[in-house]
Structure formats: structure tokens, C-alpha cells
Amino acid sequence: MPASQPRSRARDRNNVLNRAEFLSLNQPLKGNQESRSSGRKQSGQAGAAGAQNTNPKERRQSQQLPEEDCMQLNPSFKGIAFNSLLAIDICMSKRLGVCANRASSWGGARSMINLLGITGHGIPWIAGTLICLVKSSTLAGQEVLMNLLLALLLDIMIVAGLQKLAKRKGPYDINPGLLDYLTMDTYAFPAGHASRVAMLSKFFLNHLVLAIPLRILLVLWALCVGLSRVMIGRHHITDVLSGFVFGYLQFRLVELIWMSSNTCQMLISIW
């Protein structure tokens, strides 16, 4: 036993890992542990004090940021479908804008397409309705013309209000004309010409006795006017389609508030 103890001591002395410079590799020093624990406590206290000093709004925003990032990285199915349809609408509208400017493929026909669009403008229809109302001598004709004038005025106000709310621009950067500014038809959604021709065609089909060829031409005229607005680059396809829908709804509204012959005569006498 006494001989074995000096041998073990000699081994410990000869072991390199038992030296002072290598002790930190095997066993961390107590001073380091105490300094690290004290540093953690101080940092924790500083973080708690900073969290108390921050405003509740900032804390909410910091908590909401990861959720917002998740919403951007993982959009909903409705958002993906809406953005896809919007991209298709813009792409198809740009392809159909063959008369958007003189350099387009059908740039030479731009004047004729603009003339077709003027046939669906509100100012010529309002002026023509007023002239016919002055020259009309029958009670039935005055009743129809007064309600037509009401429908045209409602169309301008409703479309102008919807365009101010949506503020959607067309597929091409084209400035509205003078007549467009007069009727406040400066934005793209919904298409004012499309709503007007849809309302007029439905109004004439219901209140005028027309032959079948004239009925077909009336429907084709409405479709061509709507298509012309896409061809000159003023509206998207969805703008024109929504204009047709709003035009039909405006016709239904005029039918609900239809003015009788006595009311029309009273308004004409005041005027």
C-alpha cells in the first residue's frame, strides 16, 4: 500500500490534463460560473425593465409581426384565387387593347372605335331625350321620355359614385376625354358606357315595340360598345362586365320608381 500511493501521485503529476492551464477544459472555474450567472441576472433584469418601459402598442405590434409574416407567406385560398383572376383580367385586357394608341396593331381604326363609343355616351343621350321631350305631344311618349331621362341621370350619378369609391385605373395610361369629365367617367370600374348601353337596350326592349331584327341589332350594339371600351384601352374586361350588371340593376331600379303620367305632367309644367 505505501508503495502504491507514491506511484499514483507520480501518475497525477505526469498527467498533462491536471495542470492549471488545462483545468478549465475539464472543469469550469467557479468564478466564471458566478460571473455568467450574475451577467444573466443583470441582462434579465434589464430586459424586464425595458419591457416595462415599452408602450403597450409596441408590445402588441411586436407580437403581431410574426402573424403578419405568416399571413404573407401563407395567403388564403381566396386571396390566391382573387389575385390570379385579377392577373388574367389585366393580361387579357391588354391583349384586347388593340386600339389603345396609334402604334397598336389596329391603331388606324381608333377613330372609328371612338365614334362607336360616343354612341353610348351620356351627354348625347341626355340631350337627345330632352329634345324629344320638348317635341313630344302625347302623354304616353312624355311618360316614357321622362322616365328615360331619370334613368340616364341615375346612371351618371351611380357610376360616378362607384368609380370614386373604387378608383381603379384602366389597363393603359389614357387620359379621359372632355365628355368623360362632364359625366365624371374618369376611372375604369365600372365602365359607364357599358352600364348605360345595357340599361338603354333593356329599357327600349321593354317599352318600345320593335321588330326582331331591331331587337337583335340593339343587343349587338350594346355588346359592341362594351367591347370598344376594352379595345381603346380605357377599361378592363371585368369593368365592362360589371357595367352590364349595374346597367341591368339600374333598369330594375327605374322600373320600381316608375313615374306615372300625372307625375310627369306635373314635372313638365314646373319645368
Side-chain angles (χ1 to χ4, degrees):
M1 292 296 291
S4 63
Q5 289 180 357
R7 291 178 183 175
S8 62
R9 291 175 183 174
R11 289 175 187 171
D12 293 336
R13 284 195 301 267
N14 295 328
N15 192 359
V16 180
L17 297 177
N18 290 330
R19 294 181 182 177
E21 60 268 22
F22 295 105
L23 286 176
S24 61
L25 297 176
N26 295 329
Q27 296 178 356
L29 297 176
K30 294 181 179 179
N32 293 335
Q33 289 181 349
E34 293 177 356
S35 62
R36 288 176 184 175
S37 61
S38 61
R40 289 176 183 174
K41 289 180 181 179
Q42 291 177 359
S43 63
Q45 292 176 358
Q52 291 177 358
N53 293 329
T54 55
N55 295 328
K57 293 183 179 180
E58 294 179 356
R59 276 185 255 169
R60 292 175 185 172
Q61 290 178 356
S62 63
Q63 293 175 357
Q64 291 177 358
L65 282 176
E67 296 180 359
E68 293 177 357
D69 293 340
C70 291
M71 290 298 294
Q72 292 177 0
L73 294 174
N74 300 315
S76 62
F77 176 76
K78 292 182 180 180
I80 295 173
F82 178 76
N83 291 331
S84 300
L85 292 176
L86 188 63
I88 293 172
D89 178 36
I90 295 173
C91 179
M92 294 299 296
S93 301
K94 284 184 175 292
R95 288 192 176 186
L96 288 176
V98 293
C99 301
N101 47 56
R102 295 292 181 183
S104 300
S105 57
W106 289 16
R110 181 176 171 81
S111 300
M112 185 177 63
I113 300 299
N114 278 327
L115 183 61
L116 179 61
I118 291 175
T119 61
H121 207 281
I123 298 299
W125 278 101
I126 291 175
T129 303
L130 289 173
I131 293 172
C132 294
L133 186 61
V134 170
K135 294 186 176 181
S136 179
S137 58
T138 61
L139 296 177
Q142 291 176 356
E143 179 182 352
V144 172
L145 289 172
M146 280 296 296
N147 285 279
L148 177 60
L149 181 61
L150 174 64
L152 291 171
L153 294 176
L154 282 176
D155 174 74
I156 291 177
M157 291 187 292
I158 292 173
V159 171
L162 292 173
Q163 287 186 356
K164 290 294 182 182
L165 289 175
K167 291 185 178 181
R168 186 187 188 189
K169 296 184 179 181
Y172 292 91
D173 190 11
I174 298 176
N175 295 325
L178 177 61
L179 294 178
D180 296 327
Y181 281 110
L182 291 176
T183 56
M184 295 175 288
D185 187 12
T186 56
Y187 291 100
F189 181 88
H193 288 67
S195 67
R196 194 169 300 111
V197 295
M199 184 269 297
L200 288 171
S201 59
K202 186 64 178 174
F203 189 93
F204 291 150
L205 290 174
N206 275 42
H207 296 286
L208 295 180
V209 180
L210 300 174
I212 293 178
L214 291 178
R215 288 175 173 268
I216 295 174
L217 288 176
L218 190 61
V219 175
L220 290 176
W221 166 73
L223 294 175
C224 290
V225 171
L227 180 61
S228 68
R229 305 304 291 172
V230 181
M231 293 176 66
I232 65 172
R234 280 282 286 119
H235 297 280
H236 299 87
I237 297 174
T238 52
D239 300 334
V240 174
L241 294 178
S242 61
F244 287 151
V245 174
F246 282 115
Y248 177 77
L249 295 177
Q250 290 167 10
F251 166 76
R252 300 300 302 175
L253 177 62
V254 172
E255 291 292 312
L256 290 175
I257 61 174
W258 184 269
M259 294 185 295
S260 62
S261 179
N262 294 330
T263 305
C264 294
Q265 290 300 314
M266 181 183 66
L267 292 175
I268 292 173
S269 61
I270 294 173
W271 180 48

